[in-house]
Amino acid sequence: MLTYVGKGYTSGFVENYDRVAARLNAGEDIELVEGADDICEGLLCESHAHCFNQGIVQRDETARLSVSALLGETLTAGSGLKATPDFLAKMRGAFAAGDIRQACRGCQWIRLCDRIAASGFAGVKIGAPPQAMPKDAPAFSKHPMLRPKYGLDGRNT
């Protein structure tokens, strides 16, 4: 959610995610669920939807624990969060610093998310894009998960 810029597995997935982004931007709360969520809806028609794979389930749990620690509260299924500008800024700051990136390991989208975080979250579709951060900001240049193999233009660096 923090790095969604309109890219995804299929055009149906992207169209669905754009609708979810519009709902969040309109002020709808985020509700944590176990298993497939509204974002997964665009993939559930597939015979082997990866949303149910054990690796995805484990990544979701890792993300829940990381965000719980950051917020200082235990988040569980049914917990609600508000995608306010302050909340998104806090989450994006922690994401950029690598504090809530444990669930990213093994994800096929990690390099795209690296580039988006390194760009100061330019082009994100959820929440007002924060001000661009300098490329040499410490959080972007020193954390190993934020040293992407690919530059902002997608080429190998």
Side-chain angles (χ1 to χ4, degrees):
M1 172 182 109
L2 299 173
T3 60
Y4 178 63
V5 292
K7 297 185 185 285
Y9 302 98
T10 65
S11 60
F13 176 85
V14 170
E15 289 170 16
N16 179 63
Y17 207 148
D18 284 345
R19 286 190 293 273
V20 171
R23 289 170 31 206
L24 292 172
N25 288 332
E28 187 173 316
D29 289 350
I30 300 165
E31 180 184 349
L32 274 68
V33 299
E34 286 188 36
D37 58 20
D38 288 353
I39 296 169
C40 297
E41 185 178 312
L43 296 174
L44 296 180
C45 60
E46 296 177 359
S47 60
H48 300 294
H50 85 278
C51 299
F52 300 107
N53 292 348
Q54 187 57 38
I56 301 300
V57 172
Q58 185 57 49
R59 262 194 234 137
D60 285 350
E61 177 65 4
T62 301
R64 182 190 67 78
L65 293 172
S66 296
V67 173
S68 289
L70 175 70
L71 299 178
E73 63 182 278
T74 302
L75 299 173
T76 61
S79 293
L81 300 168
K82 293 193 178 295
T84 64
D86 288 343
F87 172 78
L88 291 171
K90 179 176 186 166
M91 296 298 294
R92 287 187 172 122
F95 186 89
D99 297 338
I100 57 171
R101 297 288 309 266
Q102 297 85 349
C104 299
R105 291 184 180 93
C107 178
Q108 72 187 69
W109 298 98
I110 193 168
R111 287 187 180 99
L112 174 64
C113 294
D114 287 345
R115 290 191 304 270
I116 293 164
S119 77
F121 298 91
V124 294
K125 290 196 168 197
I126 297 173
Q131 292 181 317
M133 298 179 82
K135 283 186 187 179
D136 59 349
F140 295 121
S141 61
K142 293 187 178 161
H143 194 279
M145 290 187 78
L146 293 175
R147 281 188 244 134
K149 289 183 178 183
Y150 301 93
L152 296 178
D153 62 359
R155 296 189 187 123
N156 210 358
T157 56

